[in-house]
Amino acid sequence: MKLRLMVWNSILKTKELKKQFNYQKERDKTISTAYDRYSNCPFSIIDLDVQRTQFDDNVEESRKNINNVLKTVATLLPEINYCQGMNFIAAFLYRISKSEEQTFYLMLGLLKNTKFSKIFYNELKKLKLYFSAFEKILTLYLPIVSSFLKTNSIMANYYSSAWFITLFTSSMVKNTKLDGLVKIWDNFLLKGWKCIFNTGLILLEMSDEKLLTLRNEALMTFLSNGITQNLIFEDFSLLLQKLKKFKIKNKLIHNIKNEIKHEEQLTEEND
């Protein structure tokens, strides 16, 4: 894990961030206020989310540390602020690094030095675009699953929002193995969003036998958490074997996004 953290730190350029920001000073400045005067982010939202976040041990200390990290990041990046789901990412990074300060720099690097933060701008416009793109890609690669979900009036935003917003960390529960999730993050940091699309397709394909038998509430529950819980944290070895099956290219995602934008433009013109 030490070698992996070195690679992640290099990709996220945390060394440069440490020269720009002194975490202890920024944290102390931030937690002295009950309300973020810069970003209009009520810290009570972060307090509530962190209280619901699970940790393996030293729960109170872990929650305090993650709370500090999220509030400091929200203050330093007012254009992004805090989005519900970031608590899961922070908890995952904290569990990997076992350090409040290291978690801060990894979190800050993820938001400043990768394309991840773009989904939080312009009222989540890019995130919504990814939902539409995922539905089209699902139709291309898994037409039976796609048709089944459409028949049950289930759109991609219902089951995939946590995949994109939390990079699959929202399904992490106490005392789970992280091998599958860590590998997904390796791929995301190296290859970008196509990894999330690819992983989502694999999860649906590996679950299709059970998925196609479910209806109503059982289907919703399985889609919202059962898929990721079973395959990322329990049967991760099978998931890792299949990660290369769907070779989705960034170009395909780009072309589909442009196609969706064109369709939306035509709709607006017709209206």
Side-chain angles (χ1 to χ4, degrees), residues 8-134:
W8 287 14
N9 276 296
S10 177
I11 294 171
L12 299 176
K13 301 176 182 178
T14 60
K15 188 175 181 179
E16 289 84 350
L17 292 174
K18 288 177 182 179
K19 295 176 182 177
Q20 291 179 262
F21 305 99
N22 181 299
Y23 175 57
Q24 291 186 354
K25 289 182 179 179
E26 298 294 346
R27 177 194 63 192
D28 293 346
K29 213 164 43 173
T30 298
I31 63 177
S32 64
T33 64
Y35 194 93
D36 179 0
R37 62 186 180 282
Y38 300 109
S39 65
N40 267 358
C41 170
F43 286 165
S44 58
I45 295 176
I46 295 176
D47 291 336
L48 287 171
D49 283 354
V50 170
Q51 198 62 33
R52 293 192 287 258
T53 308
Q54 297 189 43
F55 296 92
D56 288 348
D57 47 35
N58 300 319
V59 175
E60 290 309 312
E61 180 185 356
S62 299
R63 283 178 176 158
K64 178 184 176 183
N65 292 341
I66 292 304
N67 201 309
N68 290 340
V69 168
L70 291 169
K71 289 175 180 177
T72 306
V73 169
T75 301
L76 289 174
L77 302 178
E79 69 279 10
I80 297 175
N81 207 311
Y82 171 77
C83 179
Q84 287 186 296
M86 289 182 180
N87 55 306
F88 297 114
I89 293 177
F92 167 67
L93 293 174
Y94 183 73
R95 186 170 167 186
I96 293 294
S97 67
K98 305 186 187 307
S99 161
E100 176 185 349
E101 183 172 321
Q102 183 72 353
T103 299
F104 165 76
Y105 287 114
L106 288 168
M107 188 85 182
L108 194 62
L110 179 68
L111 292 169
K112 283 180 69 70
N113 298 326
T114 73
K115 294 182 179 180
F116 174 65
S117 63
K118 294 184 182 298
I119 64 172
F120 300 110
Y121 290 104
N122 301 321
E123 299 180 340
L124 306 179
K125 186 175 181 179
K126 177 153 283 193
L127 177 62
K128 295 170 185 174
L129 190 60
Y130 281 156
F131 292 152
S132 299
F134 187 82

Side-chain angles (χ1 to χ4, degrees), residues 51 114 127 168 182 215 229 270:
Q51 198 62 33
T114 73
L127 177 62
F168 293 102
V182 164
R215 297 293 184 277
Q229 189 59 55
N270 291 332

Side-chain angles (χ1 to χ4, degrees), residues 252-263:
L252 173 62
I253 298 173
H254 178 73
N255 290 340
I256 288 177
K257 281 161 49 180
N258 286 338
E259 180 185 325
I260 293 168
K261 288 178 182 177
H262 181 64
E263 290 173 355

